[in-house]
Amino acid sequence: MSRLRLGRSRICMSEPLERAGLLPATTDEPEEPSVSLNGELSDQVAAVALRLSETLLRQILEESVAAAGAKRAALLFIHHLRRELTVVLAAGEEWTPEALSSRIPILPVERQSITAYVAATGQPYRTGDVSRDHRYRMIFEDVVSELALPVVDSHGRVVGVLDVDSPRRDAFGEQEQAILMPFAEKAATVWDLAMHQARERALLAISRDLSALTDPKDIMRKAVDIGAHILRADDCSLFLLEPDGKTLSFLASHRPPQPGGPAPTYQLGEGLTGWVAEHREPVRTGDPRRDPRWRGVVSEFPPEEIEAYLGVPVLGRDGCLGVLRVVRRRWPSVDFRNRFSPHEQGILVTLASHLGVALDNARLVERLMITERMAAWGDMSARAAHMLGNTVFALKGHLNELEYVTAVEGAHADSARDLLGQLRSGITRLEEILQEFKEFVMTSRLTPSEHALDPLLEALMKEVFPRGTKVTLKIVPNAPGAYVQVDVNKLRRCLNELAENAVHVQPEGGSVTVSTSIASADEAAALGLASRSQGWARIDVTDEGPGIAREHRGKMFTPFFTTRSQGMGLGLSIVKGIIDSHGGLITEIGAPGHGAHFVIALPISRMGEPPPAQHPLAEEG
Amino acid sequence: MNRLLVVDDEEEVLVTLERRLTREGYQVDVAATEEEAKRLIWEAEPAYDVVITDMLMEGPTTGLEILRETLARDVFSEVIVLTAYANVVNAVECMRRGAFDYVEKNMPGVDTFELLSLKVAQAVDRRQSSVATVRRLNRLARLAEAEGSQRGSTRVP
């Protein structure tokens, strides 16, 4: 794909419509920064920047070819982590896929090729006869002259190389070099702007992503990955302040941390990182060993290999939460400026502030969840006490009566038997309450097997639908061939609960409709389901009762929520637990006042021939 | 025959209490909801002697509501509050607002039914003595009034 698109840049040379802006350079511009334009360029932010600037950069290349009278032009960017130059765009003739995917390593000076030399030194390079030039590495057989200019960003760092060639001897002189210089500068400005825009987009996406996460561990992992990517750093690490407010502990890093041993720690004020936490100010430096605050307590790489260090405080509502830091490695034997710029410091500060807010949020959410869980347990003990208490109370009443009846001379065996029956049913009720508890706890333990959905659903519904009611049951199977992996007993329990609820809300009679279907992509998306190749089966259960009040919709699936005075209020939470355990989803979408409408989505395990008509539960025994 | 009303949302509680209290010789009505209980309280003629109500039914204030309605209908009716699990704060609040007593449904080792029939008997006694006291007071008041009017008449020229 990358080659295809790069290839198109060659075609567009003879396509003036596109240059005139009449044709879009890229017709399908994806918004996500994770889309890589060039497979060779792993840096996601750079990929976005390249997409943003592709049209303009290509134009610059085409103009360079024309202005310098060259045969070809190429724009190469430095891939910092791989330490090589990559062709990102090309113009002119005879570009082959191989040429377009050229990767040029940046080696020590004496062994550098022309473009690598320009990238490493920031100096232009010109040759009029490549056969006499030891730096020349052949890509095209017809090249005789080559001119390479550094593309330098606004912070004075070389980001790439503009390279032109010609089959003529001494094709490029002082004049051509002077003519092309503004093109290289223009490319640098375009690239700067595009990078700026891409980083801004990435920061926006980050703030969105971070605020969507609730697990602090996920947030921290995400933040260090982003930090490394967006700042082209060799590593990004996060240290958090312990509750004692004195110790900074290592929490996460982009590269896998050294295995074994206790987590490395800093004391507040110790080393560069400790200083950042203590003073709540960033530190940006080149070789950290030259900084008097440096102690080398924790290092991502051997200290002599670290080229640049940037650490910023992570601030939360109640002060400093920790330190986010990035480092770049030195390029061996290459004198190459690779320090962090003030702009990059600003980016890391922004990332750290997003991180601070996200961590604060996560801590609040956690506290809230604990409170809610406590409240749920409170609700549960109240309900359990109520239910069990009343049942036991009635049992005691029966015993009291039994005592009375048997104490009387010539006791009636009939009334004693009657009381025994009532005692027995009271104990059964106690057991039912305990059963409900057990089911609630056991919802996630499944013994699934594969079934064709339609016949299974029909059989289960007929089995569980309450008898002797004025409510009629309609079954509309419409998912032929869809097979699902389900625990039949658990699914039976779900359908039973939904059927009983539906019958309960229609005491004067009505109907319950249960239908199956295969969810379309739009339906799946509307339900918030992840897209999967096998798709989703849906089961719709509708009734003609009063529907679910809007204020109940949010909590109807939570444990111990019930609008009835009897029962534990565990029914729907058990149903949700079971469906969730199947990797499915249950939701209620009915309009209040127009009957309840439950939707269950289950992942389809495979599509196949509908099985021959037989009782689908026959093998279940 | 003394009239009782038993209010609880659990049918088995109603059944057992009705049976036990009927055995004691009371005329027992039952109600499973707050609304039904209120209707019966106002329809009963004469008013119930004792109303036994669960503390918590549809809402946390059911017990207090029934207590209020009962006393509004007849200030000398007695109310006994049942609690399914000890909630001293609520029970105390009921007592403060004029309940006769409260009984925990589940007290380990206690035969709540015996206890309750004892409490009901006491409540009936108190109601009767209250009513008797009021009657006596009324009679005294009437006598005093009659005497006063006689005395007054002598003064009138």
Side-chain angles (χ1 to χ4, degrees):
Chain A
M1 151 140 188
S2 63
R3 288 175 185 178
L4 200 77
R5 195 171 286 185
L6 283 164
R8 220 165 51 184
S9 76
R10 173 166 50 114
I11 297 163
C12 85
M13 273 302 289
S14 55
E15 198 62 77
L17 279 179
E18 183 168 342
R19 210 191 307 180
L22 293 173
L23 273 178
T26 46
T27 46
D28 52 337
E29 191 182 53
E31 282 301 315
E32 288 308 306
S34 58
V35 177
S36 172
L37 178 79
N38 184 333
E40 305 296 326
L41 203 70
S42 75
D43 187 334
Q44 298 177 358
V45 178
V48 174
L50 186 55
R51 212 176 51 233
L52 291 169
S53 58
E54 192 185 349
T55 315
L56 276 175
L57 290 176
R58 200 186 293 146
Q59 209 172 317
I60 291 169
L61 274 185
E62 288 161 9
E63 285 167 2
S64 304
V65 171
K71 183 170 184 185
R72 279 172 289 261
L75 192 58
L76 301 92
F77 281 154
I78 297 172
H79 193 297
H80 285 267
L81 299 184
R82 277 212 293 266
R83 291 168 190 189
E84 55 189 30
L85 278 164
T86 315
V87 174
V88 289
L89 285 173
E93 300 161 36
E94 293 164 23
W95 281 97
T96 59
E98 289 73 31
L100 282 169
S101 57
S102 299
R103 285 156 55 163
I104 298 142
I106 300 177
L107 304 167
V109 180
E110 59 283 3
R111 294 193 287 132
Q112 273 160 1
S113 63
I114 293 174
T115 45
Y117 174 83
V118 173
T121 60
Q123 298 299 314
Y125 194 95
R126 210 168 64 221
T127 179
D129 184 358
V130 295
S131 62
R132 290 158 181 254
D133 195 312
H134 72 283
R135 293 200 186 277
Y136 179 70
R137 304 282 179 279
M138 188 175 74
I139 293 178
F140 295 101
E141 285 185 4
D142 60 352
V143 174
V144 179
S145 297
E146 186 168 346
L147 169 60
L149 298 173
V151 176
V152 184
D153 74 4
S154 53
H155 304 295
R157 285 178 317 186
V158 181
V159 293
V161 176
L162 174 63
D163 183 69
V164 292
D165 67 42
S166 168
R168 291 183 292 121
R169 184 181 289 268
D170 296 323
F172 310 117
E174 285 285 342
Q175 199 188 343
E176 280 74 18
Q177 185 174 324
I179 289 171
L180 275 194
M181 236 10 229
F183 287 98
E185 282 161 16
K186 197 167 153 196
T189 312
V190 167
W191 181 245
D192 251 4
L193 280 173
M195 276 299 275
H196 187 78
Q197 227 175 323
R199 281 169 165 166
E200 208 160 74
R201 280 191 188 191
L203 281 174
L204 280 176
I206 289 158
S207 114
R208 203 178 50 220
D209 286 358
L210 285 182
S211 57
L213 296 173
T214 48
D215 185 342
K217 278 201 192 102
D218 293 340
I219 294 172
M220 295 187 286
R221 260 196 297 269
K222 181 113 193 159
V224 292
D225 287 345
I226 291 163
H229 273 132
I230 204 167
L231 290 176
R232 292 191 294 96
D234 291 284
D235 204 357
C236 178
S237 318
L238 176 68
F239 291 80
L240 282 192
L241 208 52
E242 294 291 337
D244 68 2
K246 287 177 191 153
T247 316
L248 280 165
S249 295
F250 171 85
L251 254 297
S253 65
H254 175 57
R255 280 155 45 96
Q258 305 286 331
T265 58
Y266 279 98
Q267 292 307 303
L268 194 67
E270 183 187 19
L272 288 173
T273 302
W275 191 93
V276 170
E278 189 181 16
H279 294 82
R280 299 178 189 186
E281 275 174 39
V283 165
R284 184 166 55 89
T285 169
D287 185 344
R289 289 174 300 172
R290 293 193 195 149
D291 192 297
R293 295 166 291 192
W294 184 76
R295 293 286 174 277
V297 180
V298 184
S299 201
E300 287 86 347
F301 303 103
E304 65 278 9
E305 283 185 24
I306 294 178
E307 156 89 18
Y309 169 100
L310 172 62
V312 299
V314 179
L315 300 175
R317 278 181 323 146
D318 306 324
C320 184
L321 300 175
V323 175
L324 187 64
R325 72 183 201 189
V326 283
V327 292
R328 281 187 189 143
R329 267 173 111 168
R330 191 179 299 283
W331 290 29
S333 15
V334 178
D335 181 25
F336 189 80
R337 282 195 63 195
N338 200 17
R339 299 195 177 169
F340 292 103
S341 67
H343 177 63
E344 286 170 329
Q345 178 178 319
I347 289 170
L348 197 64
V349 167
T350 310
L351 175 59
S353 78
H354 287 323
L355 175 61
V357 171
L359 285 177
D360 265 353
N361 271 348
R363 285 176 187 187
L364 278 177
V365 166
E366 195 181 286
R367 219 172 297 164
L368 195 69
M369 291 213 351
I370 291 172
T371 317
E372 271 180 7
R373 211 172 301 140
M374 292 304 291
W377 279 110
D379 276 356
M380 186 193 80
S381 43
R383 278 208 164 264
H386 184 84
M387 300 270 314
L388 296 170
N390 279 326
T391 308
V392 171
F393 178 77
L395 282 175
K396 278 172 127 177
H398 297 324
L399 276 177
N400 180 288
E401 195 67 14
L402 191 63
E403 223 165 36
Y404 168 74
V405 167
T406 49
V408 174
E409 280 294 317
H412 292 291
D414 282 353
S415 41
R417 253 197 301 279
D418 185 43
L419 282 165
L420 282 174
Q422 295 187 44
L423 278 167
R424 206 168 289 130
S425 63
I427 287 167
T428 307
R429 252 201 95 195
L430 283 181
E431 286 168 340
E432 280 167 1
I433 295 170
L434 292 173
Q435 183 66 25
E436 206 177 330
F437 265 112
K438 211 163 82 184
E439 280 180 22
F440 176 64
V441 177
M442 303 270 283
T443 48
S444 59
R445 286 180 213 167
L446 303 181
T447 30
S449 48
E450 191 171 68
H451 295 269
L453 179 62
D454 282 355
L456 174 70
L457 191 83
E458 192 162 352
L460 287 177
M461 268 327 285
K462 284 180 180 161
E463 193 182 315
V464 302
F465 197 75
R467 287 174 226 296
T469 133
K470 283 184 261 178
V471 180
T472 55
L473 169 66
K474 284 183 227 163
I475 302 175
V476 189
N478 191 24
Y483 282 75
V484 286
Q485 280 281 350
V486 288
D487 183 321
V488 172
N489 288 325
K490 294 258 167 34
L491 186 63
R492 180 189 287 121
R493 176 74 179 81
C494 292
L495 297 172
N496 180 40
E497 180 72 26
L498 292 178
E500 276 191 354
N501 276 349
V503 169
H504 177 82
V505 295
Q506 303 179 93
E508 305 304 321
S511 76
V512 176
T513 307
V514 182
S515 59
T516 63
S517 59
I518 294 165
S520 69
D522 285 349
E523 284 173 353
L527 290 170
L529 296 164
S531 72
R532 51 193 302 282
S533 54
Q534 297 283 10
W536 295 88
R538 68 185 267 179
I539 304 170
D540 288 68
V541 182
T542 54
D543 64 47
E544 297 167 353
I548 309 293
R550 198 153 286 147
E551 67 269 24
H552 292 157
R553 188 168 284 165
K555 44 189 172 172
M556 61 192 295
F557 293 109
T558 56
F560 311 112
F561 174 78
T562 177
T563 55
R564 300 193 215 169
S565 60
Q566 303 198 336
M568 293 287 293
L570 286 176
L572 280 179
S573 70
I574 290 173
V575 172
K576 183 173 172 5
I578 291 172
I579 300 298
D580 285 353
S581 305
H582 281 86
L585 173 142
I586 180 165
T587 181
E588 202 282 325
I589 58 170
H594 293 88
H597 182 173
F598 288 92
V599 182
I600 295 174
L602 290 172
I604 295 175
S605 57
R606 70 178 166 95
M607 293 299 292
E609 286 292 307
Q614 60 158 5
H615 197 281
L617 297 179
E619 55 201 281
E620 293 290 320
Chain B
M1 193 188 278
N2 294 111
R3 300 192 66 190
L4 309 185
L5 174 66
V6 180
V7 189
D8 199 298
D9 57 351
E10 293 290 330
E11 203 197 331
E12 49 192 341
V13 171
L14 290 181
V15 168
T16 47
L17 281 175
E18 184 184 16
R19 185 177 61 201
R20 180 67 175 85
L21 294 167
T22 305
R23 191 217 293 170
E24 293 291 329
Y26 300 109
Q27 186 192 329
V28 183
D29 290 340
V30 295
T33 64
E34 187 178 324
E35 192 188 343
E36 196 187 350
K38 285 179 180 172
R39 185 177 60 78
L40 286 173
I41 286 166
W42 287 101
E43 276 176 13
E45 195 53 57
Y48 290 110
D49 294 295
V50 180
V51 174
I52 301 161
T53 178
D54 189 33
M55 183 70 228
L56 182 138
M57 286 164 57
E58 293 103 298
T61 57
T62 306
L64 287 173
E65 277 291 303
I66 304 259
L67 172 64
R68 206 168 52 84
E69 294 283 313
T70 307
L71 299 186
R73 166 73 175 86
D74 181 340
V75 76
F76 293 117
S77 291
E78 297 292 355
V79 176
I80 295 172
V81 177
L82 292 174
T83 54
Y85 55 100
N87 186 334
V88 178
V89 178
N90 277 352
V92 168
E93 185 62 24
C94 288
M95 301 291 286
R96 233 167 46 81
R97 297 193 189 191
F100 176 77
D101 207 345
Y102 75 94
V103 173
E104 273 179 50
K105 277 182 181 167
N106 306 106
M107 272 186 284
V110 175
D111 189 332
T112 325
F113 286 79
E114 290 305 316
L115 181 69
L116 196 63
S117 66
L118 186 73
K119 296 274 183 201
V120 170
Q122 289 170 346
V124 168
D125 277 353
R126 187 164 92 169
R127 170 172 166 79
Q128 280 168 346
S129 77
S130 303
V131 171
T133 308
V134 170
R135 279 205 198 105
R136 240 172 276 138
L137 282 172
N138 279 343
R139 205 161 50 228
L140 278 172
R142 269 199 303 278
L143 282 173
E145 202 177 305
E147 203 176 302
S149 64
Q150 267 177 5
R151 243 187 251 150
S153 66
T154 53
R155 272 185 205 155
V156 175

